Amino acid sequence: MITLFQLFTMDQWYTLLKRLWIDNSKFEATLYIILWVLFGSFIFKNIFVGIMVNNFQDISREIMAEQDNALAEEAKEIARLELMEELNSTCTGDEEGVSTASRLQDNNPEEGVQGTESE
């Protein structure tokens, strides 16, 4: 098992190849080493890339969630400020807080009543 791990990591693979040449034919030993190196590098690269892609996706999801939360908080704050301005303007009797219908009724009360009844 340690030998296979050494082949996967390419740690002293040539020393292992020399040892295999002593006990086996050079062709079989070389083929064995090459296959395990290719197989191991393929597996480790895929595992590494998979882990990295997964981490980047998690980070991306977290950033998107933070942005969505910030936008929601900003929208809440804007709505709160608009409501405060509206309430403030109606309490002070400011012209901006008075609706168009009430202005029409103040200028001409009879026409404002007739216009609302006919609709």
Side-chain angles (χ1 to χ4, degrees), residues 81-97:
L81 290 175
E82 287 175 353
L83 183 61
M84 294 281 288
E85 286 177 8
E86 185 179 321
L87 289 173
N88 192 18
S89 64
T90 56
C91 289
T92 59
D94 198 9
E95 283 296 317
E96 292 178 10

Side-chain angles (χ1 to χ4, degrees), residues 44-62:
F44 277 127
K45 285 178 186 174
N46 282 334
I47 289 172
F48 178 76
V49 169
I51 290 171
M52 294 301 292
V53 167
N54 192 20
N55 287 339
F56 281 125
Q57 286 176 345
D58 290 343
I59 291 169
S60 177
R61 282 188 209 115
E62 289 174 7

Side-chain angles (χ1 to χ4, degrees), residues 8-9 13 15 32 42 44-45 49 64 84 89 102 109:
F8 287 159
T9 60
W13 66 273
T15 308
Y32 179 79
F42 178 74
F44 277 127
K45 285 178 186 174
V49 169
M64 293 295 283
M84 294 281 288
S89 64
S102 62

Side-chain angles (χ1 to χ4, degrees), residues 16-56:
L16 293 172
L17 180 64
K18 284 183 181 179
R19 283 191 207 154
L20 286 174
W21 281 349
I22 294 170
D23 296 333
N24 302 317
S25 72
K26 287 189 175 187
F27 176 75
E28 290 174 359
T30 305
L31 182 65
Y32 179 79
I33 295 290
I34 289 173
L35 288 177
W36 272 111
V37 166
L38 291 176
F39 181 71
S41 65
F42 178 74
I43 288 174
F44 277 127
K45 285 178 186 174
N46 282 334
I47 289 172
F48 178 76
V49 169
I51 290 171
M52 294 301 292
V53 167
N54 192 20
N55 287 339
F56 281 125

Side-chain angles (χ1 to χ4, degrees), residues 95-113:
E95 283 296 317
E96 292 178 10
V98 179
S99 67
T100 310
S102 62
R103 279 191 224 153
L104 286 175
Q105 288 178 354
D106 290 342
N107 291 339
N108 196 352
E110 294 178 7
E111 288 179 17
V113 172

